[in-house]
Amino acid sequence: REEGLRCVLIVPVAVGSEIVAALHVGSGRVDVVPGDMRTALESLSVRLGGVLVHFQAQERLRESEALFRRVAEGAFDAIGLVGEDGRFRFVNENMCQAFGYRAVDLEGALFTALLSEEDVIRRMEAFRSRLEGKPVPERFEMNLRRKDGEIFPSEVSVKPVRWRGEKAAVCAIQDLSVRKRLEAEVLRIDDLERERIGQDLHDSV
């Protein structure tokens, strides 16, 4: 009344079963809000609820993406997110260092750029199968290729996820070069030790 209003209409804005806002409309000219206006405002409140749901979903999505990036950057493995089209959506710094690329070079590029030529077709088929939910090993060893052409052994772990509404896969890669060299060295030392023991036995006899 102090503002000169003759009637006020308050329309709740709901998201599901929860009221999250209220639409306030006042008039200084009429005593009753017309029925058609009430209907229009109620329809508008429903639409506003839908908009708020969309904004909330977008905010949750941004938060989850930010969390994923923080976790990926803090990981020891080389990590890349591959979209349904086979192109990288995100790579962490370890991925760039492992393969000798910059992030701007890898993001948007096909993951097949990191494969040896003989593996491209087979791995692309396996990738499609994994996105479709078919039973495919989630962890396997394969040879990958660095930017300079060097081929190196690696262990790859792939997990299907949803990224911005599309099917995607998170790939974690471990360089096995050092481990393979150590394994080979252990086998070599073992062979030398057997030879030494055999020679000692021979000499003793």
Side-chain angles (χ1 to χ4, degrees):
R1 291 193 183 101
E2 290 176 357
E3 297 295 330
L5 297 177
R6 294 167 59 179
C7 69
V8 174
L9 177 68
I10 302 174
V11 183
V13 177
V15 174
S17 59
E18 180 184 1
I19 296 175
V20 296
L23 185 62
H24 294 246
V25 179
S27 174
R29 293 186 294 176
V30 296
D31 296 315
V32 178
V33 177
D36 57 346
M37 183 176 288
R38 286 202 303 272
T39 301
L41 290 172
E42 288 169 358
S43 175
L44 178 61
S45 72
V46 172
R47 291 179 179 274
L48 286 174
V51 171
L52 288 174
V53 167
H54 176 73
F55 283 153
Q56 290 174 352
Q58 289 293 321
E59 182 61 27
R60 285 194 297 270
L61 183 61
R62 283 192 292 270
E63 290 174 355
S64 64
E65 288 182 9
L67 176 61
F68 168 76
R69 290 174 185 273
R70 286 198 298 272
V71 170
E73 290 298 350
F76 291 107
D77 294 343
I79 294 178
L81 180 73
V82 182
E84 196 169 5
D85 58 359
R87 297 182 181 277
F88 284 109
R89 299 290 187 267
F90 166 80
V91 293
N92 70 350
E93 182 60 28
N94 287 345
M95 176 76 85
C96 298
Q97 292 179 1
F99 289 92
Y101 289 94
R102 298 177 302 164
V104 69
D105 297 326
L106 281 179
E107 291 177 359
L110 287 168
F111 78 88
T112 51
L114 307 182
L115 304 182
S116 57
E117 293 181 2
E118 62 271 15
D119 264 346
V120 171
I121 295 176
R122 183 161 57 95
R123 292 304 173 188
M124 198 68 183
E125 290 174 352
F127 176 73
R128 296 291 183 199
S129 298
R130 184 171 287 104
L131 288 182
E132 292 169 4
K134 296 178 181 177
V136 178
E138 291 186 349
R139 188 182 295 271
F140 49 90
E141 290 188 12
M142 63 180 295
N143 290 327
L144 294 175
R145 182 176 59 189
R146 305 188 204 275
K147 185 179 181 180
D148 61 9
E150 178 192 354
I151 303 296
F152 67 98
S154 64
E155 183 180 74
V156 182
S157 177
V158 180
K159 291 283 188 182
V161 295
R162 300 288 296 184
W163 178 263
R164 297 180 180 177
E166 71 167 322
K167 293 179 180 178
V170 174
C171 304
I173 300 170
Q174 288 185 344
D175 188 340
L176 299 183
S177 301
V178 174
R179 193 173 85 183
K180 294 290 185 183
R181 283 198 298 271
L182 290 175
E183 289 175 354
E185 184 66 14
V186 168
L187 291 175
R188 188 184 69 82
I189 292 173
D190 184 58
D191 289 340
L192 290 174
E193 188 65 14
R194 288 186 184 191
E195 285 183 20
R196 186 189 66 79
I197 293 173
Q199 188 64 44
D200 288 347
L201 289 172
H202 179 272
D203 292 347
S204 299
V205 170

